[in-house]
Amino acid sequence: SNERVLLMLASPSEKVGKKAQAHSDVEVVYIGGKKSWTGQIIEREISKLCPDSGPKITHILSDEDGKLIKAARLYGVPHLPDISHAVAKCLRRVFMKHEKYKSMKKLIGAFSAKCVNQELTYLRPSNQRQKARFMNQKPIINWALTILSKYKELSTKEQLFFKDLKLHRTILNTVNTCLVYS
């Protein structure tokens, strides 16, 4: 069946805000599947997990899905975006219509397509999903910056193939600087 999974994790409030959360700081408290979720259904599941006599939820952290934001509002606690999604949203706002960024992404896409079944396949950038493009910038940017940093070590054929990447050094460094914080 085509069910959507809702996963809820909990972390003791005394650990929140002190330092970055480690895997050992969170506990799976709910996992469930349904054909579709609504804010009301999610809020009911939260309420079942935390009756009045149980643990108190102080905030809900999520990927900013509208249903999760609504569930937090209905439950009466603040919603916080997780840092990866918040940074990705900022990157999308800043770079989505930026001509130099679009040109750089188009060039990297062309490298990916042209490298298939060639001697250069081993230098091919990884494929990038369209849906989560701004959450998955690091591998592509790291790939491009690595090619540029090793450019003089490439063969003449490889240098010729990747020569246009040098024209995008500034936008690559700009995006890379932004990714330091994600």
Side-chain angles (χ1 to χ4, degrees):
S1 73
N2 247 351
E3 290 193 341
R4 303 214 178 252
V5 174
L6 175 66
L7 173 68
M8 290 189 228
L9 307 171
S11 181
S13 59
E14 63 270 5
K15 292 196 177 204
V16 175
K18 307 284 190 240
K19 61 181 176 78
Q21 297 286 285
H23 189 268
S24 59
D25 294 331
V26 296
E27 175 185 347
V28 175
V29 293
Y30 178 88
I31 187 165
K34 291 195 180 306
K35 290 258 184 214
S36 68
W37 292 92
T38 65
Q40 292 89 349
I41 293 171
I42 295 169
E43 187 275 333
R44 274 198 302 269
E45 295 299 332
I46 295 169
S47 294
K48 286 182 205 172
L49 285 172
C50 300
D52 292 336
S53 61
K56 184 176 179 332
I57 293 177
T58 58
H59 62 275
I60 292 176
L61 176 77
S62 79
D63 64 358
E64 296 190 279
D65 178 84
K67 296 177 281 293
L68 297 168
I69 293 171
K70 184 173 184 176
R73 184 175 42 77
L74 292 171
Y75 192 74
V77 295
H79 172 271
L80 302 171
D82 77 79
I83 190 69
S84 295
H85 283 84
V87 169
K89 194 173 180 178
C90 289
L91 288 173
R92 184 176 58 241
R93 251 186 261 125
V94 170
F95 293 111
M96 194 151 93
K97 294 182 179 171
H98 194 286
E99 289 306 318
K100 290 182 181 183
Y101 175 83
K102 291 189 322 188
S103 174
M104 178 265 299
K105 290 297 292 176
K106 185 176 180 180
L107 178 66
I108 291 174
F111 288 148
S112 185
K114 289 177 185 176
C115 281
V116 176
N117 299 324
Q118 284 194 29
E119 294 172 19
L120 301 173
T121 299
Y122 73 99
L123 292 173
R124 184 175 185 236
S126 60
N127 288 333
Q128 190 174 34
R129 293 175 36 214
Q130 284 296 103
K131 185 175 180 181
R133 168 176 288 183
F134 288 91
M135 286 199 57
N136 297 305
Q137 293 291 295
K138 280 184 184 181
I140 296 292
I141 300 301
N142 287 342
W143 169 86
L145 291 174
T146 300
I147 292 289
L148 290 174
S149 72
K150 306 285 186 188
Y151 191 80
K152 290 182 180 177
E153 299 170 32
L154 297 175
S155 71
T156 305
K157 180 179 180 180
E158 293 164 343
Q159 285 182 5
L160 189 59
F161 187 80
F162 291 113
K163 72 177 172 38
D164 289 343
L165 190 59
K166 293 191 294 184
L167 302 172
H168 299 278
R169 187 182 305 271
T170 302
I171 191 71
L172 287 164
N173 285 325
T174 301
V175 174
N176 190 51
T177 300
C178 294
L179 292 173
V180 169
Y181 301 104
S182 63

